[in-house]
Amino acid sequence: MYDFTSGTILQTFESALGGTKTLQMVLDNPAPNPTRDQTDTQTVQALDGKLGNRARIVRAVERSDALMSAWAFPSAYHIKVIVRDGTAFWLSSGNLNNSNQPVLATPPQTEDRDWHVIVEDEGLASLFLAYLSQDFETAAQHQLTSSSATSAAVDDAHAKLAAETNPSPRFPRVSRHPPECPRRSFPVSSSRSRLCSLPIACRQPNQGQYLTQILNLIHSAKTKLYVQLQYIEASSGTGDHQTLLVAIAQRVAAGVDVRLIESLEYGEKWAEKMKASGVDLTANIRLQPNVHNKGFVVDSKIAVVSSQNFSPAGIRQNRDAGLILESPDLAAYFEQIFLSDWETKAKPFAPSTAKPSPKPAKPSPKPARPSPKPAKPSRKRPCPRKPR
């Protein structure tokens, strides 16, 4: 899990994992979510206190985490997957926080658009369990011992640094709509619900796996291509960004009904960059507040639920997970939600016509800010990864 800061979900874990049930978890340590009830460190402390030795929780081998002696993921352990008993799993674009998984009875100020799927299939559950277990075993070898006070201080330093360098945007609350996402069950035994997995996008030896799968999916679109992403970030130096945009533009040129929804908070500047790079998709883009989704619907037959953003890290570096769902029933379900967002929540993209303001004079250099990272960064080294 990338982020686990919902108090309600924490209470659910504590009550559900009674008796002899066990928990194994790999958790990243991002800057605290603005809607948090507690930090990730406090979540770990609460679960350890409640479950005792039935809880096995480690930090992910992520480069910026001060509690790790090595790293495998240079940007983020961005996955959102829970495997239950090796027979079923939950996979989402959203984390275990209040904005990604809002409680409808007491919704937070900001509610994000995310897609989720629960799959009861031993084969796929075993696949994801194998990756999560390998991540756990790798991370367990590189944990730095730390007291609660030191851990809390590191979290606080990360939070302050993140708030100063990347303040969270504030937007007026969007009017609530009646829930349009009723729970539906699709047995995998049904001939209409064949599920094909898009395996976890990991680093070597499967680097670029997500890009290959998604490009094939985009190229396969004959009538419809609906995409809802938090953002589309330029990937300077890799060519991935241009490759994805050109593939989408080719579908537009072929007469396919192409619609892209991006987050209002991030989408405009990336749409402008698309146009500047020679791939003008602005006529096909709408902007929607608080989109955290990373989903696709193709030809009303295939849906993708995943945690991968269109970014250099999301495509090639993070630990992420996704599923290609080859099912007209499932595709129709997510397509209905997408079109509801397109018509009622998303607004057409209006290219900026304002001229850029002249750059202000550079201020005098400020003293370097103390880094919250360990005093001896030389201890951090890329940890070896077993080929899979």
Side-chain angles (χ1 to χ4, degrees):
M1 189 63 56
Y2 177 64
D3 185 38
F4 189 166
T5 54
S6 165
T8 300
I9 298 177
L10 173 59
Q11 291 174 4
T12 301
F13 268 61
E14 291 175 334
S15 62
L17 294 173
T20 60
K21 296 178 182 178
T22 61
L23 170 67
Q24 174 181 292
M25 181 165 63
V26 182
L27 183 64
D28 204 334
N29 186 28
N33 185 278
T35 66
R36 68 190 181 278
D37 294 315
Q38 71 278 335
T39 65
D40 288 294
T41 294
Q42 291 169 330
T43 296
V44 173
Q45 292 171 344
L47 290 170
D48 282 340
K50 183 71 174 182
L51 302 180
N53 59 12
R54 293 186 292 114
R56 302 171 66 218
I57 306 173
V58 296
R59 292 289 192 189
V61 280
E62 189 269 325
R63 178 160 52 186
S64 67
D65 196 323
L67 303 182
M68 301 303 301
S69 63
W71 61 269
F73 306 108
S75 178
Y77 190 77
H78 201 244
I79 189 172
K80 305 96 168 53
V81 171
I82 301 173
V83 181
R84 183 196 68 198
D85 295 337
T87 61
F89 65 95
W90 168 86
L91 186 149
S92 177
S93 64
N95 301 290
L96 299 182
N97 60 42
N98 291 321
S99 60
N100 294 167
Q101 320 289 342
V103 178
L104 295 182
T106 56
Q109 184 69 21
T110 300
E111 299 174 63
D112 297 331
R113 165 60 78 214
D114 280 291
W115 287 1
H116 326 271
V117 63
I118 294 174
V119 178
E120 296 182 352
D121 181 273
E122 290 190 18
L124 288 176
S126 297
L127 172 67
F128 285 108
L129 178 59
Y131 275 102
L132 298 184
S133 295
Q134 175 180 280
D135 288 348
F136 180 89
E137 293 167 2
T138 301
Q141 300 173 24
H142 300 286
Q143 304 289 299
L144 292 176
T145 58
S146 174
S147 67
S148 298
T150 301
S151 180
V154 170
D155 269 356
D156 183 64
H158 281 168
K160 290 178 179 178
L161 182 62
E164 292 170 357
T165 59
N166 187 28
S168 301
R170 299 295 179 187
F171 294 90
R173 181 168 180 170
V174 180
S175 60
R176 289 178 53 78
H177 296 271
E180 78 279 31
C181 310
R183 179 174 177 175
R184 294 177 63 187
S185 177
F186 299 93
V188 295
S189 58
S190 167
S191 60
R192 296 179 300 169
S193 299
R194 184 169 78 86
L195 300 183
C196 173
S197 72
L198 186 156
I200 294 175
C202 58
R203 300 179 71 238
Q204 297 290 355
N206 296 320
Q207 194 174 52
Q209 185 182 72
Y210 172 82
L211 181 65
T212 300
Q213 295 278 7
I214 291 301
L215 280 175
N216 289 340
L217 194 67
I218 292 172
H219 289 311
S220 73
K222 299 295 190 297
T223 59
K224 300 177 184 178
L225 176 61
Y226 298 158
V227 184
Q228 188 174 45
L229 295 167
Q230 184 178 18
Y231 54 80
I232 299 176
E233 181 181 345
S235 51
S236 176
T238 65
D240 297 340
H241 177 254
Q242 192 76 2
T243 300
L244 287 164
L245 295 182
V246 168
I248 294 172
Q250 288 174 344
R251 294 298 86 204
V252 175
V256 175
D257 177 14
V258 175
R259 307 186 193 190
L260 293 88
I261 297 177
E262 286 191 77
S263 175
L264 174 65
E265 294 81 358
Y266 305 101
E268 183 174 350
K269 64 178 180 179
W270 298 122
E272 293 283 9
K273 286 192 174 186
M274 293 181 208
K275 190 173 181 179
S277 69
V279 184
D280 189 359
L281 294 170
T282 54
N284 305 86
I285 294 176
R286 290 192 178 184
L287 303 179
Q288 176 181 338
N290 305 319
V291 169
H292 191 252
N293 189 24
K294 304 92 169 58
F296 297 73
V297 179
V298 179
D299 292 341
S300 302
K301 298 178 181 179
I302 300 173
V304 175
V305 178
S306 81
S307 62
Q308 286 99 335
N309 290 303
F310 266 21
S311 68
I315 292 172
R316 291 190 177 272
Q317 297 176 334
N318 293 344
R319 169 69 84 219
D320 275 293
L323 281 176
I324 295 176
L325 306 167
E326 297 183 359
S327 162
D329 289 339
L330 291 170
Y333 172 77
F334 287 111
E335 183 175 306
Q336 174 188 0
I337 299 170
F338 177 93
L339 291 175
S340 174
D341 285 349
W342 181 268
E343 296 296 336
T344 64
K345 298 180 181 180
K347 303 301 181 183
F349 172 75
S352 175
T353 57
K355 294 183 179 180
S357 302
K359 294 183 178 180
K362 292 184 178 180
S364 301
K366 295 181 179 180
R369 183 181 300 277
S371 173
K373 294 184 178 180
K376 298 181 180 180
S378 60
R379 295 184 65 187
K380 292 288 285 291
R381 61 193 186 282
C383 65
R385 296 188 54 79
K386 301 176 181 178
R388 174 169 290 278

